[in-house]
Amino acid sequence: MERRRLGRTDIVASVLGFGGSEIGYQRVAARTVARLLGSALDAGLNVIDTAECYEESEVLIGRAIGSRRREFCLFTKCGHARGWARPDWRPASLLESIERSLRRLETDYLDLIQLHSCSLAELRQGDVIAALERARERGWARYIGYSGDGEAARYAVECGRFDTLQTSVSIADQEALELTLPLARTRQMGVIAKRPLANVAWRYARKPAESYHQTYWARLRTLDYSFLREVPDAAVATALRFTLGVPGVHTAIAGTTKPERWQQNAALLQAGSLPGGEFELIRARWREVADASWVGQV
Ligand SMILES: NC(=O)c1ccc[n+]([C@@H]2O[C@H](COP(=O)([O-])OP(=O)(O)OC[C@H]3O[C@@H](n4cnc5c(N)ncnc54)[C@H](OP(=O)(O)O)[C@@H]3O)[C@@H](O)[C@H]2O)c1
């Protein structure tokens, strides 16, 4: 598994990381998570991303691989300790949330703590960033980052106070390629691609019931990339190689509920980078059909 240095941090990340939202929201059994993460670590995974509000995701990760803590880099987020619908950006609440994450993840330090998609106004006001800096000073997190999209992500890059940016990058979400990634690259920020497979939303023949998948499903119908008609593994391979071929991206945190998935997706990357021509075709098709409403999806 290829590894890339995460910007100017000392983290050398496997290009395929693990996104921890589905194991939480889909209430995957602890035994399954232990198999999933244990086998992925054995196979070369070293980046695990989760959040304070992905239900029991942090607890599941802590139980599954807390005893192997030195073998991976652990990223989590703060801002919604009482659930996504109840954000709380007060500095004291953020620090409490980070302490809770440390307990739930069964660790005494995080490699990265990220603001979980707060608004541009919160970022500009600045207390939320100062809270993360305090957590870093206290040794609770080695690095600090912003996770989100659009103008807030742009500000997070411009302000110069974050080590990393986690943002949506995929065949169905390309706003960041112009809005944030070139500057993030110049500033040597670590870049974590979230939703890197566009949720594999093309797998649904009809509009998916899950609202989280609907925007990408609709965009992909309009984009109508011919490679999406190939066998499933070939389509996933092209999608993932596109995301990892975007200049400035260091790691792609793909979410999954299935123990065999990480190795399956890792094998798809053995083909190496996407040929330049194929990458440019995907970019050209996006430029042709994407309208102003096709912004980065949080
Ligand atoms: N605001 C934020 O900070 C924010 C927002 C969104 C996401 N994130 C982070 O980004 C991570 C990834 O995002 P995501 O999980 O929404 O999107 P994603 O990685 O693009 O898609 C995950 C979905 O793809 C499926 N999948 C993966 N590999 C597959 C394959 N080879 N064939 C068929 N299906 C496959 C998974 O299903 P199976 O279970 O069947 O594998 C899962 O439903 C999250 O877990 C989270 O850590 C952060």
Side-chain angles (χ1 to χ4, degrees), residues 50-71:
T50 182
E52 80 296 8
C53 64
Y54 297 159
E55 305 285 344
E56 293 304 294
S57 174
E58 291 185 327
V59 174
L60 288 164
I61 292 167
R63 274 195 206 138
I65 52 171
S67 61
R68 298 179 67 175
R69 179 67 186 92
R70 300 281 160 193
E71 296 175 48

Side-chain angles (χ1 to χ4, degrees), residues 1-2 4 6 13-19 45 47-49 75 166-167 169-170 191-197 239-245 249-255 262 265 269:
M1 166 69 42
E2 182 193 343
R4 298 179 186 168
L6 192 65
S14 52
V15 290
L16 183 61
F18 171 75
L45 166 81
V47 166
I48 302 214
D49 180 80
F75 307 166
Q166 178 177 148
T167 200
V169 182
S170 74
V191 173
I192 301 152
K194 66 181 167 79
R195 307 183 74 168
L197 291 167
L240 193 51
R241 290 162 75 209
F242 171 82
T243 297
L244 285 170
V249 167
H250 300 116
T251 184
I253 45 167
W262 192 86
N265 289 339
L269 290 175

Side-chain angles (χ1 to χ4, degrees), residues 48-52 54 74-79 89 94 98 110-118 132 141 143-148 162 164-167 190 192 194 253:
I48 302 214
D49 180 80
T50 182
E52 80 296 8
Y54 297 159
L74 189 51
F75 307 166
T76 193
K77 314 187 188 85
C78 56
W89 302 108
L94 296 177
I98 297 167
L110 303 166
D111 292 283
L112 176 65
I113 183 69
Q114 303 157 105
L115 285 171
H116 201 172
S117 314
C118 64
L132 262 55
Y143 296 105
I144 65 172
Y146 178 74
S147 184
F162 293 102
T164 63
L165 172 69
Q166 178 177 148
T167 200
I192 301 152
K194 66 181 167 79
I253 45 167

Side-chain angles (χ1 to χ4, degrees), residues 185-249:
R185 201 169 168 218
T186 309
R187 302 214 162 172
Q188 288 186 286
M189 285 178 79
V191 173
I192 301 152
K194 66 181 167 79
R195 307 183 74 168
L197 291 167
N199 306 130
V200 192
W202 67 88
R203 70 185 124 156
Y204 305 106
R206 290 195 195 83
K207 184 175 174 177
E210 167 69 80
S211 62
Y212 182 66
H213 294 170
Q214 288 171 0
T215 303
Y216 289 162
W217 179 82
R219 286 184 187 181
L220 288 164
R221 277 171 67 98
T222 305
L223 285 159
D224 194 28
Y225 298 120
S226 57
F227 70 85
L228 295 181
R229 291 189 280 279
E230 292 172 11
V231 293
D233 263 8
V236 171
T238 300
L240 193 51
R241 290 162 75 209
F242 171 82
T243 297
L244 285 170
V246 170
V249 167

Side-chain angles (χ1 to χ4, degrees), residues 123 129 153-162 183 187 189:
L123 282 179
I129 309 179
R154 173 81 193 183
Y155 179 86
V157 174
E158 282 171 350
C159 77
R161 290 168 72 182
F162 293 102
L183 188 61
R187 302 214 162 172
M189 285 178 79

Side-chain angles (χ1 to χ4, degrees), residues 25-57:
Y25 287 133
Q26 295 184 40
R27 298 175 191 272
V28 177
R31 270 177 37 214
T32 309
V33 174
R35 264 173 55 220
L36 191 170
L37 293 178
S39 63
L41 283 184
D42 294 341
L45 166 81
N46 79 339
V47 166
I48 302 214
D49 180 80
T50 182
E52 80 296 8
C53 64
Y54 297 159
E55 305 285 344
E56 293 304 294
S57 174

